[in-house]
Amino acid sequence: MAMSAFAGNVCIWLANLILSLLKPEQAIPSICSRFVPPSMRLFFYGLLLLSAMHLRAESYPAKIQRAMKMEDDTRKADSLLSIMQGLNRADSLWSDHALELLNETVRVSEKLQYRKGLMESHFLLGNAYLFRNDLKRSIAGYIRCEKYAEQFQDPYWLSRGLMGMGLIHYQQERWKTAFELFNRSLNLSRNMDDRKRVARQLYLCGLCQGKIDNLAASLSLLDSAERIYAQFNAADELHEVAAGKAYALRKSGRNAEAEQLYRNVLTDYQSGKWNEELGMVVCRTGLGEIAFAQGRINQALEQALAAEKHLAADKYGSWISRELYSLLFRIQQKLGNYQAALAYNLKYQELQNVAHNWEAGVLAIEQQTLHDFEKQRSLREARYENELTSQRRTRSGLGVIAIVLLLSMIAVFVAYRAVSRQRKMSEKLLLNILPEETARELKTHGAAIPKLHKTVAIVFADIKDFTHIAENMAPEKLVKRLDQVFSIFDDIMLVHGLEKIKTIGDAYMAVAGLNKDSGNPCLAAVAASEDMLKAVEELNKAHVSGEAVFQFRIGIHTGPVISGVVGKKKYSYDIWGDTVNVAARMEQNSHPGRINISGDTWLQVKDKYKCSHRGKIPAKNKGEIDMYYVETRIERANPPAGVG
């Protein structure tokens, strides 16, 4: 009995020792074949298997507690990384507790300069923050993984760090940068003959090529990824590739093939075998785009609204919502639902602003991470040099002086590099905040250079009897009403590409045509004015009966202006010229709910709008100017096929 108990204890001890280092399916046959006689092999195999099951069943808290008590820092780092990999597979990597463990692993690895721990822990930190949608901290983790992999010449972790950085740039629609990172990762994986990772990076490169309209290259890359995934029967990945191919086919004008692929993938997702909310958003958005392009507006709306529901169910899918909100804006605008269209356009613009702000922030994060990495390496080198100096101090005073001079040179060089990096970072941030031309002018001259615009369309709008309304309405309510109206006007200017110049009291001034590639500024100004009057009409309907309503009159004139920035402490962008004065006269001679345009503007819009001549008015230094009321848009008799 004692011998049997001893054998059982030895067996369990041996199993725990070896199974902590190897996988059970590898360890059990090896132990039984080498150390157990054939007659007893089945008995010991059972004991080892039970021990393995016990080890596998150990809870994560117990594993963590055991790892944290380890005195050997290397074993502690390895154990924590093993636990983190399990959490990664269990979709728990974004928990606060997991982040604490990862930070402890980073601390231990940095203390030991443990190469595997440094690369893997920073990569897992990048994953954890990516799951939490903290992109700035995520990219910092991936950058550190990449830099350590370069320092240690480890192609595996270098490939993974590059791919992580590429995913973040892809989510922020920086397609070319993402493609460069994925392509570097792809070349490394090919050299390692890692076929599954090669397939993944081919797929990601194909998506990027599709986004920058290199559609033939996109389809070729996605076909290559599909062939590899098919060899592994990787169903989830094959669905992703099919959705990517559908996007490229749709952009190529092959809508029938694209629609069939989207529907096939969507059917599989809806079967319940694959619970992929984000995939359904991609498919339904693609189907909505196809329906919209073919004039099937109601079907497009149905798909887009269904996609919006899936988007709400997937908390990690916010990055894809920009494409969806853009589609919903265009659909609602086509249907004439301007309030809904403006709401979706606001959501889209908010996400775009976040992306643009992120671009400025990520440059700072990248520079700061690289600066910290170089600083830490310089500190390690400095500590090493100090130790050498201490050892050699008793040997030669000359050697001590030489080492001190060397350290001083290193410090000066590091400081110079830091200043250089900070200057470059400031220049990049300035370019992200201001237009390149304006930023260059401010840097070179200390002020923006005034510009002459030969043909713009100026829109003036004000409220009839505003003085009387203001005298009979509470100040808080008056300001709130004006803010509501002018905020809607601001959104309309964004939709039609006009630039708001200023508001003065109840007057609103905007201009079309300041950009060189803005098309016909007169058509844009008239279309924006129509939407302004429609929006005011909708707001008036919603007001309580008996309240004063705002009745806007609008005037438009076309001609040259000068634009520029004035002021020292508070900059103000404005325009000047006779065109401004004539536009104001057009508004003063208009009536509530009408758009009064000059003869010069009428010449630019007469083929698109029916207008009625109102006569002439005298204008200073201009003689008499014709006036026209805009009546209705001229509809084409035979619209092209496919236009809804």
Side-chain angles (χ1 to χ4, degrees), residues 361-387:
V362 79
L363 291 173
I365 290 295
E366 288 178 346
Q367 293 295 326
Q368 186 63 47
T369 303
L370 292 172
H371 172 73
D372 292 345
F373 186 88
E374 292 295 330
K375 182 179 178 181
Q376 289 177 358
R377 186 161 65 180
S378 298
L379 288 173
R380 288 195 299 270
E381 292 173 355
R383 282 197 299 268
Y384 177 72
E385 292 295 335
N386 284 329
E387 289 174 3

Side-chain angles (χ1 to χ4, degrees), residues 116-250:
K116 178 177 180 293
L118 286 169
M119 294 181 291
E120 188 171 354
S121 59
H122 282 298
F123 175 80
L124 291 175
L125 267 178
N127 280 356
Y129 284 120
L130 181 61
F131 290 145
R132 296 164 74 97
N133 207 26
D134 188 342
L135 301 184
K136 293 181 180 179
R137 291 186 180 180
S138 177
I139 202 167
Y142 290 136
I143 289 173
R144 287 181 177 275
C145 172
E146 176 206 3
K147 290 302 175 185
Y148 278 122
E150 287 180 347
Q151 180 179 336
F152 302 143
Q153 297 181 353
D154 189 309
Y156 175 77
W157 287 109
L158 179 57
S159 172
R160 299 197 72 179
L162 290 169
M163 189 172 74
M165 292 168 62
L167 287 172
I168 292 180
H169 285 281
Y170 181 88
Q171 290 189 12
Q172 297 303 314
E173 300 184 358
R174 301 182 72 192
W175 315 121
K176 291 184 179 180
T177 303
F179 174 78
E180 292 170 1
L181 292 165
F182 291 146
N183 197 44
R184 287 177 61 194
S185 181
L186 171 61
N187 292 330
L188 290 166
S189 296
R190 279 175 169 158
N191 292 334
M192 293 184 290
D193 198 25
D194 188 342
R195 289 184 59 75
K196 273 198 172 182
R197 200 164 297 282
V198 165
R200 188 66 180 171
Q201 287 146 3
L202 284 168
Y203 161 70
L204 293 170
C205 286
L207 291 185
C208 292
Q209 290 296 310
K211 294 296 186 182
I212 59 180
D213 291 332
N214 292 337
L215 303 175
S218 174
L219 289 170
S220 176
L221 290 164
L222 291 170
D223 283 338
S224 299
E226 187 176 51
R227 284 193 294 272
I228 297 174
Y229 280 138
Q231 295 172 6
F232 293 100
N233 294 320
D236 289 340
E237 289 79 0
L238 286 170
H239 285 134
E240 293 177 349
V241 172
K245 290 175 68 175
Y247 178 89
L249 290 169
R250 176 172 68 80

Side-chain angles (χ1 to χ4, degrees), residues 395-462:
R395 298 180 183 178
S396 172
L398 184 60
V400 172
I401 294 172
I403 292 173
V404 171
L405 288 175
L406 178 61
L407 289 173
S408 299
M409 291 173 64
I410 292 173
V412 170
F413 178 70
V414 170
Y416 172 78
R417 289 184 63 185
V419 170
S420 177
R421 282 195 297 270
Q422 291 293 330
R423 185 178 66 253
K424 291 179 180 178
M425 182 176 67
S426 299
E427 291 176 357
K428 287 184 178 180
L429 288 173
L430 185 63
L431 288 173
N432 277 277
I433 295 169
L434 296 174
E436 183 176 357
E437 185 178 355
T438 304
R440 186 164 54 248
E441 291 172 0
L442 288 173
K443 181 181 175 183
T444 305
H445 306 290
I449 300 172
K451 297 178 182 65
L452 172 64
H453 306 272
K454 293 183 179 180
T455 305
V456 301
I458 298 176
V459 177
F460 266 105
D462 79 344

